Amino acid sequence: QVQLVESGGGLVQAGDSLRISCTTGRILSSWSVGWFRQAPGKEREFVATIRWSSPSTYYADSMKVRFTISKDRAKSTVYLQMNSLRPEDTAVYYCAAGPQFSGKASDYKYWGQGTQVTVSS
């Protein structure tokens, strides 16, 4: 059973940076780990994904300038570095793991519980 645990969320001010983490436990080397976010009253939105066994990354167009996804396989952890945060980045951020290198939430099989990121103006 794959268990994903997010951490590192919190309250920051506009313009700040924040790095959130997702510990994955043991996942298949062919899988990918992605970050999604969901703001109140909005649908879940793709942020970025990374292949577990290669450096390949894929971002939503609106996220690629300020957000960076990375991983540390030795620590079984995927990170999302977020810079120049804006109030509209306020959301619950989820990590997910699955066999597809994809921006579609339905392609991910396992999900974490989410971590809240709040950006004040």
Side-chain angles (χ1 to χ4, degrees):
Q1 182 73 15
V2 175
Q3 289 189 318
L4 306 174
V5 180
E6 302 94 336
S7 62
L11 174 64
V12 298
Q13 293 187 333
D16 285 352
S17 296
L18 187 69
R19 189 179 76 166
I20 55 178
S21 303
C22 171
T23 55
T24 65
R26 190 172 182 179
I27 63 171
L28 295 175
S29 61
S30 60
W31 280 26
S32 299
V33 178
W35 283 101
F36 293 77
R37 69 184 187 183
Q38 189 165 20
K42 295 189 176 181
E43 293 187 354
R44 192 164 295 191
E45 178 182 29
F46 170 67
V47 177
T49 189
I50 188 166
R51 290 190 188 273
W52 195 242
S53 60
S54 84
S56 298
T57 59
Y58 168 50
Y59 293 87
D61 286 344
S62 60
M63 310 291 179
K64 61 179 63 176
V65 174
R66 297 183 295 118
F67 292 2
T68 303
I69 191 170
S70 63
K71 65 179 185 278
D72 184 334
R73 291 189 64 179
K75 295 183 178 179
S76 296
T77 301
V78 174
Y79 303 100
L80 184 68
Q81 176 70 40
M82 303 180 287
N83 298 325
S84 301
L85 283 163
R86 305 165 180 169
E88 53 264 40
D89 294 318
T90 295
V92 178
Y93 284 72
Y94 299 91
C95 66
Q100 302 294 329
F101 185 60
S102 165
K104 292 173 58 179
S106 58
D107 286 337
Y108 290 82
K109 188 172 182 180
Y110 297 100
W111 291 80
Q113 82 289 348
T115 186
Q116 176 71 46
V117 173
T118 303
V119 184
S120 65
S121 57

